[in-house]
């Protein structure tokens, strides 16, 4: 080991003491009207994460704290998924005091997006902290010169001994550690360790929540009152099934059947048939005859194979020849393009009720922009930049990374595990955490028309968790009309907010 001179040590200590994150901003506002109006303070700031007591990363956060509250008021930490997504979707779509003005059916609003007061904001019953994981939003890794850098910065830095790895936080384990650290720092800075604490995450953020239910309590010492999993991807395996899988294909059938009825393409049900009836029939078929078909493959007698394929085609509204060509394994991209091909329309992956024109119907591959992800990016990017820069007053030349491709493509399994093991799931940690804290409550929810993280996956996993009656009682499962971001539907957003208000009240009273 090379000795360090006193002078070098003083210089290093000076750098540590002198380091300051970018300057944040703070403002006050009022949500609601009349006697129920809430005055709040909005604080946007960077929270510094440390590694071996040195600044390692800056996590951008936006807090909304009600005036006059005390430690009895709950606080909810909120993040989105990706991995690589910033928190703007939940922030500006469902939870924050202001939101993007979407049409009632969740279709794309005209540009530029309008900001309106969010009548369904969770600020009514909890303080809010929106977190952008490292590499998303305004959050960055800190380089050796003390500057925030994105994942696209010099690759050579990774190869220099002792240099900062710009992708260090882009892995399952390190990401969870970072979320634990930033929550702990926020509670300490605000002196809120006595408040009921909730975590809420969407998509991969729901995966985070599932694992944090255990890790926050077991390693960070943060006791939870509640966990909210929104369109979660609890298990990574199965999200992109192959010819040799079963469960991923089973889980999609009910959503496809619902979409087919919605667009009037089902040959099994008439348009206007109740959603509940469609879903129950599709679930029964998918877990019965269809699952047997997938497991047995070529060993299934020909007549039985033909019958199952014909039934599947009728349920999901595709031509029988398309279903036969795919051997009954209909991928999401095939479904969204083929369902309304004769109208030159594609349906959304994240909300199969929403459609867009196919600009290149003669080309192979995904040659169209998904209307429910690519289409809404400008709306959320415009809204969050306006909220942060104009409403709250953040001054920075950083670009707000709504959805970082660099983070997504760099993501890795950074735990020391055998190479043959699949990516770690969240369901085991979720079960463990629910038992670890016998007062913890959880709320699990999906949109019925989401093809990316289908509601039936979570339903199936719930039925496989072997929860004892008392633990099962503390888990609420409820789904809504809409897709992955079902809160873009006006009726669903309002119903969701009311359901979470009741959930928080019950969880808070249980922990009092």
């Amino acid at each position: 080991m090379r000795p360090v001179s006193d002078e070098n040590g003083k210089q290093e200590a000076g750098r540590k003491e002198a380091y300051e994150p970018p300057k944040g901003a703070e403002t006050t506002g009022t949500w609601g009207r009349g006697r129920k109006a809430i005055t709040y303070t909005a604080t946007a700031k960077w929270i510094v994460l440390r590694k071996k007591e040195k600044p390692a990363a800056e996590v951008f956060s936006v807090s909304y704290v009600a005036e006059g509250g005390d430690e009895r008021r709950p606080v909810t930490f909120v993040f989105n998924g990706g991995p690589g997504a910033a928190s703007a979707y939940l922030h500006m779509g469902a939870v924050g005091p202001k939101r993007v003005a979407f049409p009632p059916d969740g279709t794309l609003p005209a540009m530029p997006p309008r900001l309106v007061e969010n009548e369904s904001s969770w600020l009514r019953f909890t303080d809010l902290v929106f977190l952008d994981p490292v590499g998303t939003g305004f959050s960055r890794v800190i380089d050796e010169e003390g500057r925030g850098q994105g994942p696209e910065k010099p690759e050579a830095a990774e190869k220099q001994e002792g240099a900062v790895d710009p992708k260090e936080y882009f892995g399952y384990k390190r990401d969870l550690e970072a979320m634990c650290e930033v929550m702990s720092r926020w509670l300490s800075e605000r002196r809120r360790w006595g408040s009921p604490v909730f975590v809420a995450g969407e998509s991969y953020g729901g995966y985070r929540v599932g694992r944090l239910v255990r890790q926050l309590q077991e390693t960070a010492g943060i006791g939870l009152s509640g966990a909210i999993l929104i369109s979660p991807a609890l298990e990574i395996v199965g999200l992109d099934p192959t010819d040799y899988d079963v469960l991923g294909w089973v889980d999609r059938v009910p959503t496809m059947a619902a979409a087919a009825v919605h667009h009037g393409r089902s040959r099994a049900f008439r348009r206007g048939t109740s959603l509940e009836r469609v879903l129950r029939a599709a679930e029964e078929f998918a877990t019965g005859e269809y699952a047997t078909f997938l497991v047995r493959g070529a060993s299934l007698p020909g007549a039985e194979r033909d019958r199952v394929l014909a039934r599947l085609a009728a349920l999901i509204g595709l031509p029988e020849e398309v279903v036969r060509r795919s051997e009954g394994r209909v991928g999401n991209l095939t479904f969204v393009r083929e369902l309304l091909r004769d109208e030159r329309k594609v349906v959304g992956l994240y909300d199969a009720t929403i459609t867009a024109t196919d600009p290149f119907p003669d080309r192979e591959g995904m040659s169209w922009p998904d209307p429910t992800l690519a289409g809404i990016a400008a709306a959320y990017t415009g809204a969050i930049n306006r909220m942060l820069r104009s409403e709250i007053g953040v001054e920075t030349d950083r670009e707000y990374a709504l959805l970082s491709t660099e983070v997504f493509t760099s993501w890795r399994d950074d735990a020391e595990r055998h190479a043959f093991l699949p990516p770690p799931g969240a369901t085991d940690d979720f079960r463990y955490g629910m038992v670890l804290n016998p007062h913890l409550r959880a709320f699990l929810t999906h949109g019925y028309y989401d093809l990316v993280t289908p509601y039936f996956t979570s339903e199936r996993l719930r039925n496989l968790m072997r929860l004892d009656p008392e633990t099962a009682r503390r888990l609420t499962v409820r789904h809504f009309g809409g897709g992955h971001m079902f809160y873009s539907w006006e009726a669903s957003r309002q119903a969701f907010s009311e359901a979470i208000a009741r959930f928080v009240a019950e969880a808070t009273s249980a922990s009092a």
Side-chain angles (χ1 to χ4, degrees), residues 160-191:
Q160 298 172 5
E161 185 177 355
V164 173
D165 178 1
K167 300 179 181 179
E168 176 182 346
Y169 288 87
F170 307 155
Y172 300 109
K173 178 174 177 289
R174 194 72 178 101
D175 172 71
L176 293 171
E177 292 171 345
M179 292 296 100
C180 288
E181 183 178 353
V182 75
M183 291 181 210
S184 178
R185 288 187 180 277
W186 191 94
L187 292 171
S188 295
E189 290 176 4
R190 295 287 185 139
R191 300 180 182 178

Side-chain angles (χ1 to χ4, degrees), residues 9-242:
K10 291 176 182 177
Q11 289 176 345
E12 179 60 39
R15 280 198 297 270
K16 176 181 173 182
E17 294 170 2
Y19 178 78
E20 290 289 341
K23 185 180 178 181
E26 190 170 279
T27 190
T28 58
T30 302
W31 177 86
R33 293 174 178 80
R35 288 181 296 177
K36 294 184 178 181
I38 294 175
T39 299
Y40 63 85
T41 299
T43 305
K45 64 177 293 185
W46 283 263
I47 298 174
V48 178
L49 306 184
R50 297 185 178 274
K51 181 179 180 181
K52 297 181 179 179
E53 296 305 314
K54 295 180 181 179
E58 301 160 347
V59 172
F60 185 71
S61 67
V62 182
S63 306
Y64 297 96
V65 177
E67 183 182 78
D70 55 27
E71 285 192 337
R72 289 173 296 182
R73 183 169 165 84
V75 57
T76 303
F77 294 93
V78 185
F79 35 77
N80 273 87
S87 62
Y89 297 97
L90 285 171
H91 188 169
M92 305 307 302
V95 179
K98 293 189 177 182
R99 62 173 176 83
V100 179
F102 275 91
D105 61 356
T107 51
L108 187 66
M111 298 292 119
R114 291 189 304 114
L115 288 186
V116 297
E117 181 175 271
N118 181 11
E119 76 292 347
S120 304
S121 176
W122 296 8
L123 187 61
R124 173 164 59 97
F125 48 84
T126 177
D127 289 339
L128 300 166
V129 186
F130 296 93
L131 302 176
D132 292 338
V134 180
T136 74
F138 289 147
S139 301
R140 301 289 187 267
V141 171
I142 299 171
D143 66 15
E144 291 295 326
E145 302 301 321
R147 297 172 300 202
Q149 63 173 27
E152 71 283 354
K153 295 299 179 182
E155 297 288 338
E158 295 183 70
K159 302 178 181 179
Q160 298 172 5
E161 185 177 355
V164 173
D165 178 1
K167 300 179 181 179
E168 176 182 346
Y169 288 87
F170 307 155
Y172 300 109
K173 178 174 177 289
R174 194 72 178 101
D175 172 71
L176 293 171
E177 292 171 345
M179 292 296 100
C180 288
E181 183 178 353
V182 75
M183 291 181 210
S184 178
R185 288 187 180 277
W186 191 94
L187 292 171
S188 295
E189 290 176 4
R190 295 287 185 139
R191 300 180 182 178
R192 294 291 295 272
W193 280 91
S195 295
V197 175
F198 292 78
V199 286
E202 177 182 279
S203 194
Y204 184 85
Y207 170 94
R208 279 193 185 102
V209 169
R211 298 196 65 185
L212 286 172
V213 161
R214 176 176 182 173
Q215 191 160 333
L216 280 169
Q217 301 182 102
E218 194 173 48
T219 65
I222 298 177
L224 291 175
S225 294
I228 303 162
L229 300 85
I230 306 164
S231 304
L234 285 172
E235 297 295 312
I236 306 302
V237 175
L239 289 178
D240 187 22
T242 70

Side-chain angles (χ1 to χ4, degrees), residues 351-369:
D351 184 342
T353 69
I354 295 176
T355 65
T357 299
D358 187 348
F360 307 111
D362 57 319
R363 297 186 186 179
E364 298 295 325
M366 188 175 179
S367 57
W368 65 92

Side-chain angles (χ1 to χ4, degrees), residues 267 284-285 288-290 292-293 296 300-315 320 323-324:
R267 297 188 298 281
E284 176 125 358
F285 168 76
E289 298 171 272
Y290 181 59
T292 300
F293 165 87
R296 293 192 59 181
L300 197 68
E304 194 169 343
R305 284 174 54 83
D306 290 344
R307 184 176 57 78
V308 172
L309 288 171
R311 174 64 173 166
L312 176 63
L315 269 175
E320 198 167 319
V323 173
R324 288 185 178 280

